[in-house]
Amino acid sequence: MDIADKVFVVTGAGNGIGREVTLEILRRGGVVAGLDVDSEGLADTAALAEGFDEKFLPLTVDITKRRLVEALPKKIEKALGPVDGVVNVAGIIQPFVRVNDLDFDAIERVMAVNFIGPLTLIKTFLPGLLTRPEAHITNVSSMGSYAPVPGQTIYGASKAAINLLSEGLRSELRESAVHVTVVYPGAIGTNIAANSGLDMSGVDTESSERKTVEPAEAGKAIVEAIEANKKRTLIGSDASTMWWANRVSPDLASNLIYQGMKDLLPPSPVKD
């Protein structure tokens, strides 16, 4: 897909990967309506997009609120033109605890942001995308969707739902001009824990064993995948390693992840 002059909706545009996707699209001649719940973050993105003022529309929106999302197509088309692509980047992780210790409020929030939100964006914009000469839907999943991360089981489940949503959409849209890409990042150097409202003080999340990809590199990879109409793309050596390990032996992949991440979990409950 040629990015130039195309209009994209990017969620999570106020920070991290979403911000970098936004900036990369703008650099390649595209137009972006950037969505985020964080108005200050969006203002920072706008400042970084200096020189692209007429091509960037920041919109403070909670993607879990369906009525707010459903009002977006008319607003965006009036300001920028018809939408050609939707990039679902926004996502949150759960507290690093076992399912047994995770309350339902946290479960529902993760599923709302990571699955229901992207689905709402897709349902809202797909009718318009189907009228375009060429269009694109990009869904950011996670390495945790195919290789289980202890303490992130519900997060992984929400991203696994994104996987099948993406694959099913691609099948349903096979005879249309709408392409679908699903992105599998590994560890990316973003502030996702804080953006998820988690206190990670006292937890060693910066271990040298957990090498991360810079958000700018991830953003560039995602935009390049859109340009190439790739069906799937992996970001980071960890994502690639676990992708193939999982195909050789799911148990092997699960054990490798557990050994590397188990220290983030509270101690296991001990029976008296």
Side-chain angles (χ1 to χ4, degrees), residues 90 109-120 157-165:
R109 182 167 178 257
V110 168
M111 294 304 295
V113 174
N114 293 357
F115 180 67
I116 300 301
L119 176 58
T120 302
S158 71
K159 292 300 189 175
I162 285 291
N163 296 352
L164 195 53
L165 173 63

Side-chain angles (χ1 to χ4, degrees), residues 163-178:
N163 296 352
L164 195 53
L165 173 63
S166 302
E167 299 294 340
L169 274 172
R170 188 183 304 110
S171 179
E172 293 180 359
L173 298 170
R174 188 181 299 270
E175 298 179 6
S176 77
V178 181

Side-chain angles (χ1 to χ4, degrees), residues 68-124:
L68 297 180
V69 172
E70 289 175 339
L72 291 174
K74 288 183 178 179
K75 182 183 297 186
I76 293 171
E77 182 167 355
K78 182 177 180 181
L80 304 176
V83 171
D84 301 289
V86 173
V87 189
N88 282 308
V89 182
I92 60 172
I93 60 172
Q94 66 173 76
F96 273 93
V97 297
R98 297 171 176 82
V99 172
N100 190 52
D101 301 317
L102 190 63
D103 63 60
F104 273 103
D105 286 344
I107 292 170
E108 290 169 2
R109 182 167 178 257
V110 168
M111 294 304 295
V113 174
N114 293 357
F115 180 67
I116 300 301
L119 176 58
T120 302
L121 266 291
I122 291 166
K123 284 280 291 175
T124 298

Side-chain angles (χ1 to χ4, degrees), residues 8 26-27 30 52 89 94 117 180 256 261:
F8 290 86
L26 293 172
R27 282 192 288 265
F52 299 104
V89 182
Q94 66 173 76
V180 179
L256 286 172
M261 301 293 289

Side-chain angles (χ1 to χ4, degrees), residues 220-237:
K220 182 179 180 182
I222 291 170
V223 176
E224 288 177 347
I226 294 171
E227 286 186 321
N229 289 327
K230 292 183 69 172
K231 294 177 180 178
R232 305 163 196 89
T233 192
L234 300 159
I235 300 177
S237 59

Side-chain angles (χ1 to χ4, degrees), residues 13 21 23 57-58 104 107 126 130-132 139 144 165 182 186 193-194 197 199 202 221 226 259 261:
V21 167
L23 296 175
L57 176 66
F104 273 103
I107 292 170
L126 185 54
L130 287 166
T131 69
R132 305 301 293 156
N139 294 323
L165 173 63
V182 59
D199 179 6
I226 294 171
Q259 293 303 321
M261 301 293 289

Side-chain angles (χ1 to χ4, degrees), residues 2-8 23-31 52 55:
D2 185 7
I3 298 293
D5 299 321
K6 299 297 193 305
V7 177
F8 290 86
L23 296 175
E24 190 66 29
I25 289 173
L26 293 172
R27 282 192 288 265
R28 296 181 188 225
V31 182
F52 299 104
K55 292 191 172 185

